[in-house]
Amino acid sequence: MSTLLEKPIKVNRIVTTSIEHARAIEDPARAKIVEILYHQALSADQITTMLKKFGFKKALTTVRHHLEILKESGLIEIVKIEESRGAITKFYSTSTKLLDFQTPEDFELKYSKLIDNTSTKIEKILKGLTPKTGKSKGKKSEEYSQYLVMEIMNRAMTNVLENSGKK
């Protein structure tokens, strides 16, 4: 047997998510709901209206079903409940930001030096974090340690990006 194609794959992206989160946002409408709810509390009715603006024509009952799936996965939560004329209205929000972009073809060429410089600095930070997160025992301890480091870095980066425009 001869090899027809072989190329090395360089790891350049780690996605930290759980199976529950991945299943919850596999539907484009649910992913859009998470995107809409980022830093904004809306009711199911308001979410239905917003979805229509983005081309998702969903019935209110379908939107409520999507909200339940997202809530069970932990991606969204009820942040306010209002009572008006005997009716209860729930408002949902999330602290999860979804970024959906296609990487440009010239990304490596344009940003390789910046990636190398930043990687060196981040490596120093990670070496300080790893001993603190590597205390778990068992078969999956290495993966869990890596997950914890990625989650810490992800949250730190989110804090920096969210607060960069505020002063």
Side-chain angles (χ1 to χ4, degrees):
M1 194 176 286
S2 61
T3 303
L4 297 176
L5 173 71
E6 184 175 4
K7 75 177 197 175
I9 300 292
K10 180 182 170 192
V11 176
N12 64 7
R13 179 174 292 111
I14 296 176
V15 177
T16 59
T17 190
S18 66
I19 292 171
E20 292 81 19
H21 290 162
R23 284 186 184 139
I25 60 172
E26 74 180 342
D27 183 287
R30 288 195 293 262
K32 188 51 111 177
I33 289 170
V34 173
E35 190 179 317
I36 290 169
L37 292 177
Y38 184 66
H39 284 319
Q40 182 178 6
L42 297 173
S43 68
D45 222 16
Q46 292 169 322
I47 293 167
T48 303
T49 303
M50 290 289 286
L51 283 174
K52 285 180 184 164
K53 289 180 183 177
F54 291 105
F56 294 94
K57 293 184 172 139
K58 303 285 183 186
L60 182 58
T61 54
T62 304
V63 170
R64 284 193 176 122
H65 171 72
H66 287 319
L67 290 171
E68 193 58 35
I69 291 170
L70 290 167
K71 196 170 69 151
E72 286 175 8
S73 74
L75 286 171
I76 68 168
E77 57 188 282
I78 296 172
V79 294
K80 181 168 73 169
I81 298 175
E82 286 184 353
E83 186 266 330
S84 177
R85 298 183 192 165
I88 301 291
T89 304
K90 298 175 186 174
F91 290 82
Y92 302 86
S93 191
T94 184
S95 60
T96 301
K97 185 174 190 174
L98 296 181
L99 299 174
D100 179 24
F101 295 97
Q102 295 293 336
T103 306
E105 287 185 27
D106 61 349
F107 184 81
E108 287 291 328
L109 183 65
K110 275 186 171 177
Y111 297 104
S112 61
K113 189 171 179 103
L114 182 61
I115 291 168
D116 289 342
N117 291 340
T118 307
S119 296
T120 304
K121 292 174 184 176
I122 291 174
E123 187 177 357
K124 290 177 184 176
I125 294 168
L126 291 177
K127 284 183 179 175
L129 277 177
T130 304
K132 294 175 183 156
T133 61
K135 293 187 168 119
S136 62
K137 293 182 176 93
K139 188 171 125 180
K140 292 208 167 216
S141 65
E142 185 178 338
E143 286 94 352
Y144 182 68
S145 178
Q146 290 173 355
Y147 170 78
L148 284 177
V149 168
M150 284 303 302
E151 192 63 25
I152 290 166
M153 291 296 291
N154 188 333
R155 290 181 186 204
M157 282 180 31
T158 302
N159 284 341
V160 168
L161 293 173
E162 287 298 301
N163 294 322
S164 65
K166 303 173 187 173
K167 286 228 173 176

